[in-house]
Amino acid sequence: MGFSSTLISIVIGIIGLAVGYAVRKYISKGKLKNAEELSKKIIYDAENQAQTQKKVLLVEAKEEIQKLRSEQENEAKIRRAEIKELEDRVLSKEKLLDKKSSQVEKKDEKLSKKLEGLREKEEQADELVKQREEELQKVAGLTKEEGKEILLNELKKEITNESALIIKENENRIKEESGKYARNVIAQAIQRCAADQVAESTVAVVNLPNDEMKGRIIGREGRNIRAIESITGVDLIIDDTPEAVVLSCFDPIRREIARVALEKLVNDGRIHPTKIEETVEKAKNEVETIIKESGEQAAYDAGVHGLHPEIIKYLGRLKYRTSYGQNNLKHSVEVAEIAGILAGEIGADVKLAKRGGLLHDIGKSVDRNLDAPHVDIGVEIARKYHESEFVINAIQSHHGDVEPNCVESVLVQAADAISAARPGARRETVESYIQRLEKLEEIANEFDGIEKSYAVQAGREIRIIVKPEKISEAEITITAREIVKRIESELDFPGQIKVNVIRETRAVEYAK
């Protein structure tokens, strides 16, 4: 209705404008009367037209309302139908659930009855098992514990066989995977480290220009030789050897001081107690300088920097120490180089490995004067001059006295073994060599089931023949491992020892 009244107002306004325009037109022409009649007519026509338009709009509005009402009724019918359908579904599901719940209750009742029956049968079965066990014990003449013991023994045998097979498989796999790489790394380390090895002994020889010099060295009533021996602590051996004097002393530094002093005295030609004292003092200073320079050169060759000056001196003293004929200073440099190469190959700390390798035998420079192992002395020196805990651990663990706490300590241990055990690096006395071989065979023979044992390849391998009736094929691997543990715990040896356990069965007959 608001829309219709607005439309009528607009139409009347338009008609009014038209009438005004017509009135002004007629007035301008002087036809006022006709204009009034015309305006009345126009207003009448406009009112009639407006009423007609109003009726049309009212009819259209009623039709629109009717149409909207019918659409709303249709939508409401559809919604009611959907709701009815949903209600029907819910009712059907409720009925189905009621049916299933009743079935579940019935099944629960059946299962409860079955469980009760199973419990009864289980009790009956337990009774039957007890009866059968009692009957079996009576028939077999064994108690339950004895039967368990027999079963456990059989199980132990099976486990022993399986463990031996597992050990063999793991060892073969590890050897296949790591053998080639390890050999390449070690070969490269040895190849790239070309330290010279000098065999030294406990004596030194001083060459003389002539045999008359021997009399000057001895002096009147032997005062010169006594002065030399008392000041240097070295024994002079003057015998029939032409143009030579032998110096003998277990301390290589004192022997070197005596050698340098004696050479200076021989070159000078003036030999008397006062001159001997002066020359020996100069020789001491010269040897101290040589020791310091040797330590500095060794640190430079190994690529280790920042060492304390006192450690440099200790390091230089290793120049006059040997172990099984191997010079300790050159051995330390070689260990540092090998450890550095190994560390570089596996991505470890090269500087730390070199430092630990160079200082691992530092205790040998003073161990002759102290009643302690060179490892403990080396640790004390390293701590005194504030070396890192990793370097101290490398010194402690290079002989297996303590466990390594870093991979660099393991590399130092391996490099020490490589340097000491490679062919031509060390010598050992015949007596200690024989004792080591005898001890090696003795350890092997102490095990039960060993028939014979032979130490071969200069003690690098021991071949053990077992009795086949006492040690099975699967047990020889475990036997070999136990022998290895005994050798590692009771015997000191350079490098590694191969334990080869052999089991064979022979059938021997004689044709007559």
Side-chain angles (χ1 to χ4, degrees):
M1 293 298 290
F3 174 75
S4 300
S5 60
T6 303
L7 184 60
I8 293 169
S9 298
I10 292 169
V11 172
I12 293 172
I14 293 169
I15 294 170
L17 290 173
V19 170
Y21 176 74
V23 169
R24 285 193 301 271
K25 187 176 180 182
Y26 278 101
I27 288 173
S28 64
K29 291 181 181 181
K31 296 181 180 179
L32 181 61
K33 186 177 179 180
N34 293 331
E36 289 177 355
E37 292 177 357
L38 181 61
S39 64
K40 288 179 181 180
K41 184 179 180 181
I42 290 170
I43 290 169
Y44 178 77
D45 292 338
E47 288 176 354
N48 290 332
Q49 188 175 0
Q51 289 294 329
T52 304
Q53 189 67 27
K54 180 180 177 181
K55 291 179 181 179
V56 171
L57 291 173
L58 287 173
V59 171
E60 289 179 355
K62 288 180 180 179
E63 290 177 354
E64 186 68 22
I65 292 169
Q66 187 66 30
K67 183 179 178 181
L68 292 172
R69 188 176 293 169
S70 62
E71 289 178 356
Q72 291 294 328
E73 289 177 356
N74 290 332
E75 288 182 1
K77 288 180 181 179
I78 292 170
R79 296 290 183 214
R80 284 195 293 272
E82 290 177 353
I83 293 169
K84 183 67 169 59
E85 185 178 356
L86 289 173
E87 289 178 351
D88 294 338
R89 288 181 182 177
V90 170
L91 290 174
S92 63
K93 286 183 178 179
E94 286 180 354
K95 292 179 181 179
L96 184 61
L97 287 173
D98 292 338
K99 185 177 180 181
K100 286 184 177 179
S101 63
S102 63
Q103 291 176 355
V104 169
E105 289 176 356
K106 292 179 181 179
K107 287 182 179 179
D108 286 339
E109 292 177 0
K110 291 181 181 179
L111 288 173
S112 300
K113 292 179 181 179
K114 286 183 179 180
L115 286 173
E116 291 177 0
L118 288 173
R119 289 193 188 97
E120 293 177 357
K121 290 181 180 179
E122 188 177 358
E123 292 175 358
Q124 294 175 0
D126 291 339
E127 291 294 329
L128 289 173
V129 169
K130 289 181 181 179
Q131 292 177 5
R132 292 292 183 269
E133 286 181 355
E134 292 175 357
E135 291 176 0
L136 286 172
Q137 290 178 9
K138 290 179 181 179
V139 172
L142 296 173
T143 62
K144 185 176 181 180
E145 287 72 17
E146 291 173 347
K148 284 183 179 180
E149 186 176 357
I150 292 171
L151 290 174
L152 287 174
N153 290 332
E154 293 295 328
L155 185 59
K156 284 180 181 178
K157 289 181 180 179
E158 292 181 3
I159 291 173
T160 300
N161 294 333
E162 291 180 1
S163 62
L165 291 174
I166 291 170
I167 290 171
K168 281 185 178 180
E169 290 177 358
N170 290 333
E171 287 180 350
N172 292 332
R173 180 175 57 81
I174 292 170
K175 287 178 181 178
E176 289 176 1
E177 292 178 355
S178 63
K180 291 182 180 179
Y181 180 74
R183 283 194 296 270
N184 290 335
V185 171
I186 293 172
Q188 290 176 11
I190 295 174
Q191 182 183 14
R192 290 162 61 183
C193 174
D196 296 329
Q197 300 297 324
V198 179
E200 299 181 7
S201 59
T202 59
V203 297
V205 178
V206 177
N207 295 319
L208 304 177
N210 51 59
D211 286 337
E212 293 180 0
M213 189 60 68
K214 292 182 180 179
R216 292 186 184 183
I217 293 172
I218 295 172
R220 185 181 300 174
E221 297 177 358
R223 64 176 186 173
N224 291 343
I225 191 172
R226 286 198 300 272
I228 294 172
E229 290 181 346
S230 62
I231 294 172
T232 61
V234 176
D235 295 330
L236 270 69
I237 302 172
I238 301 175
D239 52 15
D240 297 334
T241 305
E243 300 178 355
V245 174
V246 178
L247 306 179
S248 177
C249 180
F250 71 91
D251 190 332
I253 296 177
R254 289 186 353 218
R255 190 172 70 247
E256 180 67 13
I257 293 171
R259 186 188 67 79
V260 173
L262 189 57
E263 286 181 351
K264 289 181 179 293
L265 289 169
V266 169
N267 293 330
D268 186 82
R270 296 174 294 173
I271 304 175
H272 52 83
T274 304
K275 185 65 175 178
I276 289 170
E277 290 182 2
E278 294 175 0
T279 307
V280 169
E281 192 63 30
K282 289 180 181 179
K284 286 182 180 178
N285 294 332
E286 186 176 333
V287 171
E288 286 295 328
T289 303
I290 293 172
I291 287 173
K292 183 179 178 182
E293 291 176 352
S294 299
E296 292 173 349
Q297 185 64 39
Y300 175 78
D301 292 340
V304 177
H305 307 288
L307 292 174
H308 194 278
E310 291 299 322
I311 290 183
I312 293 288
K313 292 181 181 179
Y314 283 120
L315 196 61
R317 291 172 67 90
L318 292 176
K319 175 182 175 68
Y320 302 104
R321 278 297 309 271
T322 60
S323 178
Y324 295 100
Q326 186 180 30
N327 184 276
N328 282 124
L329 182 58
K330 293 184 178 181
H331 165 68
S332 297
V333 174
E334 185 177 50
V335 170
E337 292 179 351
I338 293 174
I341 294 169
L342 295 175
E345 290 291 335
I346 67 173
D349 191 337
V350 176
K351 292 183 179 179
L352 178 59
K354 284 187 173 184
R355 199 178 190 92
L358 185 64
L359 302 181
H360 80 285
D361 273 345
I362 195 72
K364 287 186 177 180
S365 60
V366 293
D367 67 348
R368 291 185 184 274
N369 304 320
L370 299 173
D371 295 331
H374 75 278
V375 172
D376 296 341
I377 299 171
V379 170
E380 184 178 349
I381 292 171
R383 283 182 176 155
K384 181 178 179 181
Y385 297 106
H386 309 293
E387 288 293 332
S388 68
E389 287 298 324
F390 296 109
V391 175
I392 293 171
N393 180 256
I395 297 172
Q396 285 179 313
S397 62
H398 79 275
H399 281 318
D401 297 328
V402 299
E403 290 295 325
N405 63 2
C406 61
V407 68
E408 289 78 12
S409 297
V410 178
L411 296 178
V412 170
Q413 189 178 25
D416 180 52
I418 291 170
S419 175
R422 64 181 181 79
R426 290 189 172 184
R427 298 176 300 163
E428 59 181 332
T429 62
V430 176
E431 183 179 357
S432 62
Y433 169 74
I434 294 173
Q435 289 178 354
R436 183 163 62 85
L437 296 188
E438 289 177 350
K439 181 64 176 177
L440 191 61
E441 293 182 354
E442 181 183 344
I443 290 173
N445 291 330
E446 288 178 358
F447 283 83
D448 188 28
I450 304 300
E451 184 176 357
K452 294 177 183 178
S453 63
Y454 303 99
V456 296
Q457 294 186 5
R460 302 292 183 189
E461 180 182 353
I462 180 168
R463 295 179 183 175
I464 302 165
I465 300 173
V466 302
K467 297 176 182 179
E469 64 273 9
K470 289 190 176 182
I471 297 178
S472 66
E473 190 72 26
E475 291 173 342
I476 60 173
T477 303
I478 298 174
T479 303
R481 190 170 293 276
E482 291 176 353
I483 293 172
V484 165
K485 290 180 181 178
R486 281 282 304 277
I487 292 172
E488 290 175 348
S489 62
E490 299 181 12
L491 196 62
D492 293 330
F493 54 91
Q496 63 181 11
I497 297 175
K498 179 182 179 182
V499 177
N500 190 2
V501 181
I502 302 169
R503 178 183 182 273
E504 59 180 2
T505 304
R506 296 185 182 181
V508 180
E509 294 289 340
Y510 294 94
K512 298 181 180 178

